[in-house]
Each structure stands twice: as C-alpha cells, then as structure tokens.
Amino acid sequence: MRPTTGTEGLLRLHAPQVLGALVRRYGHFGAAEDAVQEALLAAARQWPDQGVPENPRGWLIKVASRRLMDQLRADDARRRRREEDAARLTPRDAFTAPPPGESRAPADDDTLTLLFLCCRPELTAAAQVALTLRAVGGLTTAEIARAHLVPEATMAQRISRAKAKIKGAPFRQPGPADRDARLAVVLQVLYLIFNEGYTATSGDALHRADLAREAIRLTRSVRRLLPREGPVTGLLALMLLTEARSAARTGSHGELIPLDEQDRALWDRRAIAEGTALVEEALGQGPPGAYQLQAAIAALHDEAADADATDWPQILALYDVLVRLAPEPMAELGRAVAYAMVHGPRAGLQELESFEDALRGHYRLEAVRAHLLERAGDAEGARAAYRSAARGTLSRPEAHYLQTRAARLAP
C-alpha cells in the first residue's frame, strides 16, 4: 500500500532521526538502515488504515529497534556479544522518543550527528555526498544517480562501499578541527537535498516540501554550531529566498509556473526578509563564496516588484564572479540566461555554445536553449528544443510544461 501524502511526509521527516537514534545506540550502520526501511514500510502499510500514532518517531524507533535486534540475534556469536553490550548500555527509556512538541538541543540532534558521520574524512567526497543523501536526505539511489549524472548501479556500489568504510565509527559530533574539515561536504549535501525538494527530479510533484524543509532545518542547526561561517549563513539565506517562492511555482492542477509569470503576492515575504538580512550578514563574514553569491542573486530576484523590474545587469555581474570563483555547468547555464536578458537572446545562445559539451544531453540545457530560441523568434528551433528537453526529464510537471510550450509554437 502506498502511503498517503501526509504519511509520506511524516516518514521522510522522521527517517533520518530514527536512523540516527539506532546508529547512536547500536552502531551497525548498514543493518540499522535496513531495519529503519522495514519500519518505514510497516508504517506505510498500517498508518493510513489505523491512524498515525501519537508519537510517530517513538513508534518508528521501537519497531526499527525490534527489527534490528532480530537481525542481530540471527547473526554469529560476535554480533550476539555486541547485542548484549548494546542492551546493557542502553538506558531503560531509550526506546521512547521525546514527547510531541518537546525540542532538542542542537548538540543532541541525532540527525545532525548522522550528517557529520556520513562526511567522515576517510570517505571520498563523492562517497560522502552519496551516503548522506541516502541516509539523511532520504533520496533513493536512482534519484542520487540522476543528480550526479551517473548510472544507478555505479551509485549503488558507491553507497555500499561508503557504508562498509564507516562501519564501527563512533557516533558523535566531531571536534572543532575535524568539523571544519567536513563542513564543505556537509553544505554541499544540504544544498543537494534542498534542490531535490525544491524541484524534484522525478515523479508527479514538482515540489517536495518535506525535503526542502528538512534541508532548511538542518542548515539552521549547522548555523547554530557555526554562526560566523559565511558559507553556512549564505546557504541558509539561499534556501529561504528560494523556498519563499514555492507557493507561486505551481497552478491549481500542479502545473509549473515559471519565475517571470508567478504571482509575487504569493511569495513568503517574511522568509524573503529573513533571507535578505542573512545575505547581508553572510557577505560581511569574509570573502564571498558560491553560496553567498547565489543567495545575493536570489535576493535580487525576490526584491523585484515584477519580472520587468529585475536588475539583470547586477545579476549578470554576480554570475560573472560566481563562474570565476566556482566554475561549474549549472552556474554557467544561469549566467547564460542573465547574459541573454542583458544583451539579447542571440548573445545568450552564443554563450551556451562555450560550455554545452559539459551539459550535452541534459534537459536543462535544452530547456534554456528553447527559451532563448523562442525569444529570438525561431519558433521551429524552439519547438524542437522544448520537445528534446521534455524527453530528458523524469519530472512530470516539468515535462508537461515543456510539452505545452512546444505545442504553443506549433504552426
């Protein structure tokens, strides 16, 4: 049975917290993840019919703990000794999650500890990102593979090897020096989780609000630990300024509404105010990095009264700095759009040619090409590019939007 939307959101919210609780108490990262998945499956089957328990996280922890203990009992004597040690060291009330509404201190947040555990230095950067997206972000292996443009089998092997490497690692927050060394990967992972929530790479829904909210929550937790780190502040600002537009991004039937056509009265002005203040703070916390610059670009979009009032020259100037500082294809793609808005669509199309090999076959490249060709008056070329982009995305709302744009240009 497929869970309802409400149940699905609860499960995604609590999954990393439950996994963190089990790993902290028992270790056995791989076995704990399997037990959590079984508990989530049991909840998905039972909750829609029987109702959500008063304490969902406590229910999941109890069920997952039982599954894990069953696995350990079925193992060899060495694992049985570990089970006995775990049982002896576990407090009597360990299977009881905090009551609803009770907050936990950031240092006691198992999800945050799990986040840093997945970013241990003995793992490669690629393995750190993949493991964290799987364990903390709740993304499927297929979703992670698509985000990294690699085959699913390759990503599955990467995650499996990462689990094996951290087996037996202590479940605790790193010290200051070690924490700083892992910070860049932690922020990259949070950014990827947020992006998957803001624009899902597959499925019927464009926006996965639970993922976006969890990424924001975790980023706030990291900022409480490191309040004067510009990249942390910048990333939180970027998330808030981007998520502030979410209510206006889809129509009544879930269809995608592009930025220049959105009803800006639906934007979350409180989130925009907080994000804008954080941008100013982040830019004062040392030399600007990629997150600070992207947040500044988002602030310029959010501060414009309408699409025509957007300060595209300033946005282009920020993109120029961004691609020099952190050259990567998606930043180049954003810069090409800004360049076209300042210098015209034909100039933007020429910019695409300079880096299109790095994104060849990616639907976002074709979508931007289609948009610029349409603005340039090449209806036939735009229609073909829109169709190509629609074939390349697994997101139904994006595919529908792109197909609709193509249909509007039919002779």
Side-chain angles (χ1 to χ4, degrees), residues 244-249 257 259-270 272 301-302 304-307:
R245 311 178 202 132
S246 60
R249 292 179 67 231
I257 301 176
L259 180 62
D260 59 349
E261 298 177 15
Q262 290 175 13
D263 180 359
R264 301 189 179 211
L266 298 176
W267 289 3
D268 186 342
R269 292 296 161 186
R270 186 168 62 177
I272 291 172
H301 281 296
D302 288 7
D306 53 46

Side-chain angles (χ1 to χ4, degrees), residues 14 17-18 47 55-62 97-99 102 104:
H14 292 300
Q17 300 169 5
V18 175
W47 291 3
N55 189 345
R57 185 171 61 178
W59 189 97
L60 289 167
I61 290 175
K62 181 176 290 187
E102 180 179 317
R104 304 179 70 183

Side-chain angles (χ1 to χ4, degrees), residues 19 29 65 79 97 107 124 144 147 164 167 174 176 192 211 223 246 270-271 276 282 290 293 298 307 372 401:
L19 178 58
F29 188 101
S65 297
R79 290 197 176 184
T124 65
I144 302 169
K167 185 177 181 180
L192 289 172
L211 264 186
R223 186 168 182 265
S246 60
R270 186 168 62 177
T276 302
L293 292 167
L372 297 183
Y401 168 77

Side-chain angles (χ1 to χ4, degrees), residues 48-337:
D49 295 330
Q50 301 177 12
V52 177
E54 182 180 354
N55 189 345
R57 185 171 61 178
W59 189 97
L60 289 167
I61 290 175
K62 181 176 290 187
V63 172
S65 297
R66 288 172 178 168
R67 297 288 197 277
L68 180 58
M69 297 302 283
D70 288 343
Q71 291 179 53
L72 296 178
R73 290 191 184 101
D75 215 332
D76 57 19
R78 179 175 59 84
R79 290 197 176 184
R80 287 198 298 272
R81 286 196 297 272
R82 288 184 180 178
E83 174 196 331
E84 293 167 359
D85 291 341
R88 178 170 50 81
L89 294 173
T90 300
R92 182 175 298 178
D93 62 348
F95 290 153
T96 303
E102 180 179 317
S103 61
R104 304 179 70 183
D108 194 34
D109 190 326
D110 287 334
T111 307
L112 191 58
T113 306
L114 181 64
L115 179 64
F116 279 96
L117 173 68
C118 293
C119 295
R120 289 183 64 84
E122 58 263 38
L123 300 177
T124 65
Q128 291 170 331
V129 171
L131 182 61
T132 311
L133 289 173
R134 183 74 182 88
V136 181
L139 273 64
T140 65
T141 303
E143 289 169 339
I144 302 169
R146 284 195 294 273
H148 287 79
L149 307 178
V150 300
E152 184 176 350
T154 301
M155 187 55 67
Q157 293 176 351
R158 186 179 299 174
I159 293 172
S160 179
R161 288 195 296 266
K163 288 180 184 178
K165 281 192 175 182
I166 66 168
K167 185 177 181 180
F171 189 79
R172 61 172 180 264
Q173 291 227 2
D178 191 14
R179 182 179 61 207
D180 291 346
R182 302 187 208 180
L183 183 61
V185 176
V186 167
L187 296 183
Q188 182 186 7
V189 168
L190 292 174
Y191 181 54
L192 289 172
I193 294 173
F194 176 80
N195 282 343
E196 178 62 27
Y198 190 70
T199 304
T201 56
S202 64
D204 296 328
L206 178 71
H207 185 229
R208 295 168 64 173
D210 50 346
L211 264 186
R213 285 195 297 264
E214 181 66 3
I216 291 173
R217 186 189 75 83
L218 289 171
T219 307
R220 287 191 188 278
S221 297
V222 175
R223 186 168 182 265
R224 282 195 292 267
L225 287 173
L226 303 167
R228 289 178 290 278
E229 288 287 339
V232 180
T233 307
L235 179 57
L236 179 57
L238 174 61
M239 290 179 178
L240 291 170
L241 291 164
T242 306
E243 181 65 10
R245 311 178 202 132
S246 60
R249 292 179 67 231
T250 53
S252 57
H253 301 291
E255 69 275 16
L256 185 154
I257 301 176
L259 180 62
D260 59 349
E261 298 177 15
Q262 290 175 13
D263 180 359
R264 301 189 179 211
L266 298 176
W267 289 3
D268 186 342
R269 292 296 161 186
R270 186 168 62 177
I272 291 172
E274 182 185 1
T276 302
L278 287 172
V279 170
E280 296 176 359
E281 184 177 338
L283 292 175
Q285 293 176 330
Y291 298 123
Q292 296 98 307
L293 292 167
Q294 290 180 77
I297 291 169
L300 288 172
H301 281 296
D302 288 7
E303 290 171 348
D306 53 46
D308 292 337
T310 304
D311 189 349
W312 284 109
Q314 182 64 23
I315 289 174
L316 177 58
L318 289 168
Y319 266 119
D320 285 338
V321 178
L322 177 61
V323 297
R324 285 199 303 268
L325 181 68
E328 59 94 16
M330 288 303 174
E332 295 274 11
L333 197 59
R335 181 187 174 277
V337 173

